[in-house]
mmCIF file with all atom_site columns, all heavy atoms in Angstrom:
data_model
loop_
_atom_site.group_PDB
_atom_site.id
_atom_site.type_symbol
_atom_site.label_atom_id
_atom_site.label_alt_id
_atom_site.label_comp_id
_atom_site.label_asym_id
_atom_site.label_entity_id
_atom_site.label_seq_id
_atom_site.pdbx_PDB_ins_code
_atom_site.Cartn_x
_atom_site.Cartn_y
_atom_site.Cartn_z
_atom_site.occupancy
_atom_site.B_iso_or_equiv
_atom_site.pdbx_formal_charge
_atom_site.auth_seq_id
_atom_site.auth_comp_id
_atom_site.auth_asym_id
_atom_site.auth_atom_id
_atom_site.pdbx_PDB_model_num
ATOM 1   N N   . LEU B 1 571 ? 13.054 -25.672 -4.053 1.00 95.00 ? 595 LEU B N   1
ATOM 2   C CA  . LEU B 1 571 ? 13.600 -24.747 -5.103 1.00 95.00 ? 595 LEU B CA  1
ATOM 3   C C   . LEU B 1 571 ? 13.224 -23.350 -4.922 1.00 95.00 ? 595 LEU B C   1
ATOM 4   O O   . LEU B 1 571 ? 13.971 -22.414 -5.163 1.00 95.00 ? 595 LEU B O   1
ATOM 5   C CB  . LEU B 1 571 ? 13.172 -25.273 -6.414 1.00 95.00 ? 595 LEU B CB  1
ATOM 6   C CG  . LEU B 1 571 ? 13.764 -26.679 -6.910 1.00 95.00 ? 595 LEU B CG  1
ATOM 7   C CD1 . LEU B 1 571 ? 13.273 -27.049 -8.252 1.00 95.00 ? 595 LEU B CD1 1
ATOM 8   C CD2 . LEU B 1 571 ? 15.271 -26.607 -6.824 1.00 95.00 ? 595 LEU B CD2 1
ATOM 9   N N   . GLU B 1 572 ? 12.031 -23.084 -4.442 1.00 95.00 ? 596 GLU B N   1
ATOM 10  C CA  . GLU B 1 572 ? 11.584 -21.775 -4.001 1.00 95.00 ? 596 GLU B CA  1
ATOM 11  C C   . GLU B 1 572 ? 12.551 -21.161 -2.959 1.00 95.00 ? 596 GLU B C   1
ATOM 12  O O   . GLU B 1 572 ? 12.968 -19.929 -3.035 1.00 95.00 ? 596 GLU B O   1
ATOM 13  C CB  . GLU B 1 572 ? 10.192 -21.680 -3.520 1.00 95.00 ? 596 GLU B CB  1
ATOM 14  C CG  . GLU B 1 572 ? 9.132  -21.906 -4.696 1.00 95.00 ? 596 GLU B CG  1
ATOM 15  C CD  . GLU B 1 572 ? 7.731  -22.123 -4.087 1.00 95.00 ? 596 GLU B CD  1
ATOM 16  O OE1 . GLU B 1 572 ? 7.584  -22.048 -2.854 1.00 95.00 ? 596 GLU B OE1 1
ATOM 17  O OE2 . GLU B 1 572 ? 6.754  -22.140 -4.896 1.00 95.00 ? 596 GLU B OE2 1
ATOM 18  N N   . ALA B 1 573 ? 12.827 -22.047 -1.971 1.00 96.00 ? 597 ALA B N   1
ATOM 19  C CA  . ALA B 1 573 ? 13.801 -21.534 -0.899 1.00 96.00 ? 597 ALA B CA  1
ATOM 20  C C   . ALA B 1 573 ? 15.238 -21.303 -1.420 1.00 96.00 ? 597 ALA B C   1
ATOM 21  O O   . ALA B 1 573 ? 15.855 -20.264 -1.120 1.00 96.00 ? 597 ALA B O   1
ATOM 22  C CB  . ALA B 1 573 ? 13.888 -22.655 0.166  1.00 96.00 ? 597 ALA B CB  1
ATOM 23  N N   . VAL B 1 574 ? 15.697 -22.162 -2.393 1.00 96.00 ? 598 VAL B N   1
ATOM 24  C CA  . VAL B 1 574 ? 17.035 -21.967 -2.940 1.00 96.00 ? 598 VAL B CA  1
ATOM 25  C C   . VAL B 1 574 ? 17.011 -20.656 -3.769 1.00 96.00 ? 598 VAL B C   1
ATOM 26  O O   . VAL B 1 574 ? 17.933 -19.916 -3.706 1.00 96.00 ? 598 VAL B O   1
ATOM 27  C CB  . VAL B 1 574 ? 17.374 -23.154 -3.863 1.00 96.00 ? 598 VAL B CB  1
ATOM 28  C CG1 . VAL B 1 574 ? 18.654 -22.853 -4.664 1.00 96.00 ? 598 VAL B CG1 1
ATOM 29  C CG2 . VAL B 1 574 ? 17.626 -24.434 -2.915 1.00 96.00 ? 598 VAL B CG2 1
ATOM 30  N N   . SER B 1 575 ? 15.931 -20.478 -4.486 1.00 95.00 ? 599 SER B N   1
ATOM 31  C CA  . SER B 1 575 ? 15.966 -19.220 -5.282 1.00 95.00 ? 599 SER B CA  1
ATOM 32  C C   . SER B 1 575 ? 15.898 -18.003 -4.455 1.00 95.00 ? 599 SER B C   1
ATOM 33  O O   . SER B 1 575 ? 16.618 -17.002 -4.849 1.00 95.00 ? 599 SER B O   1
ATOM 34  C CB  . SER B 1 575 ? 14.738 -19.343 -6.260 1.00 95.00 ? 599 SER B CB  1
ATOM 35  O OG  . SER B 1 575 ? 14.547 -18.135 -6.977 1.00 95.00 ? 599 SER B OG  1
ATOM 36  N N   . HIS B 1 576 ? 15.057 -18.097 -3.461 1.00 95.00 ? 600 HIS B N   1
ATOM 37  C CA  . HIS B 1 576 ? 15.023 -16.823 -2.457 1.00 95.00 ? 600 HIS B CA  1
ATOM 38  C C   . HIS B 1 576 ? 16.320 -16.539 -1.980 1.00 95.00 ? 600 HIS B C   1
ATOM 39  O O   . HIS B 1 576 ? 16.713 -15.335 -1.910 1.00 95.00 ? 600 HIS B O   1
ATOM 40  C CB  . HIS B 1 576 ? 13.936 -17.140 -1.460 1.00 95.00 ? 600 HIS B CB  1
ATOM 41  C CG  . HIS B 1 576 ? 13.769 -16.053 -0.490 1.00 95.00 ? 600 HIS B CG  1
ATOM 42  N ND1 . HIS B 1 576 ? 12.917 -15.059 -0.728 1.00 95.00 ? 600 HIS B ND1 1
ATOM 43  C CD2 . HIS B 1 576 ? 14.244 -15.786 0.670  1.00 95.00 ? 600 HIS B CD2 1
ATOM 44  C CE1 . HIS B 1 576 ? 12.837 -14.229 0.320  1.00 95.00 ? 600 HIS B CE1 1
ATOM 45  N NE2 . HIS B 1 576 ? 13.710 -14.609 1.184  1.00 95.00 ? 600 HIS B NE2 1
ATOM 46  N N   . ASN B 1 577 ? 17.028 -17.526 -1.470 1.00 95.00 ? 601 ASN B N   1
ATOM 47  C CA  . ASN B 1 577 ? 18.338 -17.366 -0.840 1.00 95.00 ? 601 ASN B CA  1
ATOM 48  C C   . ASN B 1 577 ? 19.359 -16.909 -1.854 1.00 95.00 ? 601 ASN B C   1
ATOM 49  O O   . ASN B 1 577 ? 20.189 -16.027 -1.545 1.00 95.00 ? 601 ASN B O   1
ATOM 50  C CB  . ASN B 1 577 ? 18.755 -18.632 -0.130 1.00 95.00 ? 601 ASN B CB  1
ATOM 51  C CG  . ASN B 1 577 ? 18.106 -18.731 1.177  1.00 95.00 ? 601 ASN B CG  1
ATOM 52  O OD1 . ASN B 1 577 ? 18.607 -18.157 2.227  1.00 95.00 ? 601 ASN B OD1 1
ATOM 53  N ND2 . ASN B 1 577 ? 17.021 -19.379 1.314  1.00 95.00 ? 601 ASN B ND2 1
ATOM 54  N N   . ALA B 1 578 ? 19.379 -17.592 -3.082 1.00 93.00 ? 602 ALA B N   1
ATOM 55  C CA  . ALA B 1 578 ? 20.352 -17.172 -3.986 1.00 93.00 ? 602 ALA B CA  1
ATOM 56  C C   . ALA B 1 578 ? 20.269 -15.765 -4.483 1.00 93.00 ? 602 ALA B C   1
ATOM 57  O O   . ALA B 1 578 ? 21.261 -15.108 -4.820 1.00 93.00 ? 602 ALA B O   1
ATOM 58  C CB  . ALA B 1 578 ? 20.251 -18.203 -5.264 1.00 93.00 ? 602 ALA B CB  1
ATOM 59  N N   . ASN B 1 579 ? 19.132 -15.337 -4.597 1.00 92.00 ? 603 ASN B N   1
ATOM 60  C CA  . ASN B 1 579 ? 18.753 -13.892 -5.065 1.00 92.00 ? 603 ASN B CA  1
ATOM 61  C C   . ASN B 1 579 ? 19.286 -12.884 -4.016 1.00 92.00 ? 603 ASN B C   1
ATOM 62  O O   . ASN B 1 579 ? 19.341 -11.698 -4.253 1.00 92.00 ? 603 ASN B O   1
ATOM 63  C CB  . ASN B 1 579 ? 17.358 -13.705 -5.350 1.00 92.00 ? 603 ASN B CB  1
ATOM 64  C CG  . ASN B 1 579 ? 16.947 -14.278 -6.654 1.00 92.00 ? 603 ASN B CG  1
ATOM 65  O OD1 . ASN B 1 579 ? 17.735 -14.539 -7.517 1.00 92.00 ? 603 ASN B OD1 1
ATOM 66  N ND2 . ASN B 1 579 ? 15.606 -14.727 -6.781 1.00 92.00 ? 603 ASN B ND2 1
ATOM 67  N N   . ARG B 1 580 ? 19.536 -13.409 -2.782 1.00 91.00 ? 604 ARG B N   1
ATOM 68  C CA  . ARG B 1 580 ? 20.055 -12.574 -1.719 1.00 91.00 ? 604 ARG B CA  1
ATOM 69  C C   . ARG B 1 580 ? 21.528 -12.841 -1.356 1.00 91.00 ? 604 ARG B C   1
ATOM 70  O O   . ARG B 1 580 ? 21.998 -12.726 -0.242 1.00 91.00 ? 604 ARG B O   1
ATOM 71  C CB  . ARG B 1 580 ? 19.165 -12.630 -0.482 1.00 91.00 ? 604 ARG B CB  1
ATOM 72  C CG  . ARG B 1 580 ? 17.862 -11.954 -0.844 1.00 91.00 ? 604 ARG B CG  1
ATOM 73  C CD  . ARG B 1 580 ? 16.651 -12.551 -0.013 1.00 91.00 ? 604 ARG B CD  1
ATOM 74  N NE  . ARG B 1 580 ? 15.454 -11.823 -0.291 1.00 91.00 ? 604 ARG B NE  1
ATOM 75  C CZ  . ARG B 1 580 ? 14.732 -12.039 -1.363 1.00 91.00 ? 604 ARG B CZ  1
ATOM 76  N NH1 . ARG B 1 580 ? 15.106 -13.029 -2.187 1.00 91.00 ? 604 ARG B NH1 1
ATOM 77  N NH2 . ARG B 1 580 ? 13.594 -11.347 -1.631 1.00 91.00 ? 604 ARG B NH2 1
ATOM 78  N N   . ARG B 1 581 ? 22.311 -13.452 -2.345 1.00 89.00 ? 605 ARG B N   1
ATOM 79  C CA  . ARG B 1 581 ? 23.581 -13.782 -2.285 1.00 89.00 ? 605 ARG B CA  1
ATOM 80  C C   . ARG B 1 581 ? 23.934 -14.741 -1.196 1.00 89.00 ? 605 ARG B C   1
ATOM 81  O O   . ARG B 1 581 ? 25.163 -14.834 -0.740 1.00 89.00 ? 605 ARG B O   1
ATOM 82  C CB  . ARG B 1 581 ? 24.452 -12.447 -2.080 1.00 89.00 ? 605 ARG B CB  1
ATOM 83  C CG  . ARG B 1 581 ? 24.244 -11.491 -3.120 1.00 89.00 ? 605 ARG B CG  1
ATOM 84  C CD  . ARG B 1 581 ? 25.033 -10.158 -2.918 1.00 89.00 ? 605 ARG B CD  1
ATOM 85  N NE  . ARG B 1 581 ? 26.450 -10.421 -2.909 1.00 89.00 ? 605 ARG B NE  1
ATOM 86  C CZ  . ARG B 1 581 ? 27.164 -10.563 -3.998 1.00 89.00 ? 605 ARG B CZ  1
ATOM 87  N NH1 . ARG B 1 581 ? 26.608 -10.313 -5.297 1.00 89.00 ? 605 ARG B NH1 1
ATOM 88  N NH2 . ARG B 1 581 ? 28.548 -10.790 -3.971 1.00 89.00 ? 605 ARG B NH2 1
ATOM 89  N N   . ASN B 1 582 ? 23.019 -15.619 -0.868 1.00 92.00 ? 606 ASN B N   1
ATOM 90  C CA  . ASN B 1 582 ? 23.276 -16.780 0.046  1.00 92.00 ? 606 ASN B CA  1
ATOM 91  C C   . ASN B 1 582 ? 23.206 -17.996 -0.824 1.00 92.00 ? 606 ASN B C   1
ATOM 92  O O   . ASN B 1 582 ? 22.167 -18.687 -0.902 1.00 92.00 ? 606 ASN B O   1
ATOM 93  C CB  . ASN B 1 582 ? 22.201 -16.805 1.233  1.00 92.00 ? 606 ASN B CB  1
ATOM 94  C CG  . ASN B 1 582 ? 22.528 -17.886 2.257  1.00 92.00 ? 606 ASN B CG  1
ATOM 95  O OD1 . ASN B 1 582 ? 23.659 -18.293 2.329  1.00 92.00 ? 606 ASN B OD1 1
ATOM 96  N ND2 . ASN B 1 582 ? 21.489 -18.148 2.952  1.00 92.00 ? 606 ASN B ND2 1
ATOM 97  N N   . THR B 1 583 ? 24.291 -18.362 -1.510 1.00 91.00 ? 607 THR B N   1
ATOM 98  C CA  . THR B 1 583 ? 24.315 -19.396 -2.466 1.00 91.00 ? 607 THR B CA  1
ATOM 99  C C   . THR B 1 583 ? 24.726 -20.782 -2.001 1.00 91.00 ? 607 THR B C   1
ATOM 100 O O   . THR B 1 583 ? 24.571 -21.746 -2.738 1.00 91.00 ? 607 THR B O   1
ATOM 101 C CB  . THR B 1 583 ? 25.202 -18.984 -3.601 1.00 91.00 ? 607 THR B CB  1
ATOM 102 O OG1 . THR B 1 583 ? 26.484 -18.665 -3.117 1.00 91.00 ? 607 THR B OG1 1
ATOM 103 C CG2 . THR B 1 583 ? 24.627 -17.761 -4.340 1.00 91.00 ? 607 THR B CG2 1
ATOM 104 N N   . ASP B 1 584 ? 25.347 -20.869 -0.844 1.00 93.00 ? 608 ASP B N   1
ATOM 105 C CA  . ASP B 1 584 ? 25.790 -22.121 -0.274 1.00 93.00 ? 608 ASP B CA  1
ATOM 106 C C   . ASP B 1 584 ? 24.905 -22.577 0.643  1.00 93.00 ? 608 ASP B C   1
ATOM 107 O O   . ASP B 1 584 ? 24.689 -22.162 1.826  1.00 93.00 ? 608 ASP B O   1
ATOM 108 C CB  . ASP B 1 584 ? 27.145 -22.023 0.321  1.00 93.00 ? 608 ASP B CB  1
ATOM 109 C CG  . ASP B 1 584 ? 28.205 -21.410 -0.554 1.00 93.00 ? 608 ASP B CG  1
ATOM 110 O OD1 . ASP B 1 584 ? 28.024 -21.600 -1.807 1.00 93.00 ? 608 ASP B OD1 1
ATOM 111 O OD2 . ASP B 1 584 ? 29.115 -20.713 -0.144 1.00 93.00 ? 608 ASP B OD2 1
ATOM 112 N N   . LEU B 1 585 ? 24.095 -23.663 0.361  1.00 94.00 ? 609 LEU B N   1
ATOM 113 C CA  . LEU B 1 585 ? 22.900 -24.178 1.181  1.00 94.00 ? 609 LEU B CA  1
ATOM 114 C C   . LEU B 1 585 ? 22.974 -25.630 1.363  1.00 94.00 ? 609 LEU B C   1
ATOM 115 O O   . LEU B 1 585 ? 23.253 -26.396 0.455  1.00 94.00 ? 609 LEU B O   1
ATOM 116 C CB  . LEU B 1 585 ? 21.550 -23.653 0.422  1.00 94.00 ? 609 LEU B CB  1
ATOM 117 C CG  . LEU B 1 585 ? 21.323 -22.146 0.159  1.00 94.00 ? 609 LEU B CG  1
ATOM 118 C CD1 . LEU B 1 585 ? 20.137 -22.061 -0.689 1.00 94.00 ? 609 LEU B CD1 1
ATOM 119 C CD2 . LEU B 1 585 ? 21.206 -21.463 1.497  1.00 94.00 ? 609 LEU B CD2 1
ATOM 120 N N   . LYS B 1 586 ? 22.573 -25.989 2.571  1.00 95.00 ? 610 LYS B N   1
ATOM 121 C CA  . LYS B 1 586 ? 22.253 -27.341 2.980  1.00 95.00 ? 610 LYS B CA  1
ATOM 122 C C   . LYS B 1 586 ? 20.932 -27.310 3.741  1.00 95.00 ? 610 LYS B C   1
ATOM 123 O O   . LYS B 1 586 ? 20.947 -26.829 4.892  1.00 95.00 ? 610 LYS B O   1
ATOM 124 C CB  . LYS B 1 586 ? 23.402 -28.004 3.850  1.00 95.00 ? 610 LYS B CB  1
ATOM 125 C CG  . LYS B 1 586 ? 24.707 -28.183 3.126  1.00 95.00 ? 610 LYS B CG  1
ATOM 126 C CD  . LYS B 1 586 ? 25.650 -28.749 4.080  1.00 95.00 ? 610 LYS B CD  1
ATOM 127 C CE  . LYS B 1 586 ? 27.179 -28.891 3.387  1.00 95.00 ? 610 LYS B CE  1
ATOM 128 N NZ  . LYS B 1 586 ? 28.104 -29.430 4.384  1.00 95.00 ? 610 LYS B NZ  1
#
Side-chain angles (χ1 to χ4, degrees):
L595 293 180
E596 286 173 356
V598 170
S599 177
H600 181 86
N601 280 273
N603 288 336
R604 287 154 182 80
R605 301 180 64 84
N606 185 21
T607 56
D608 302 334
L609 299 170
K610 294 179 183 177

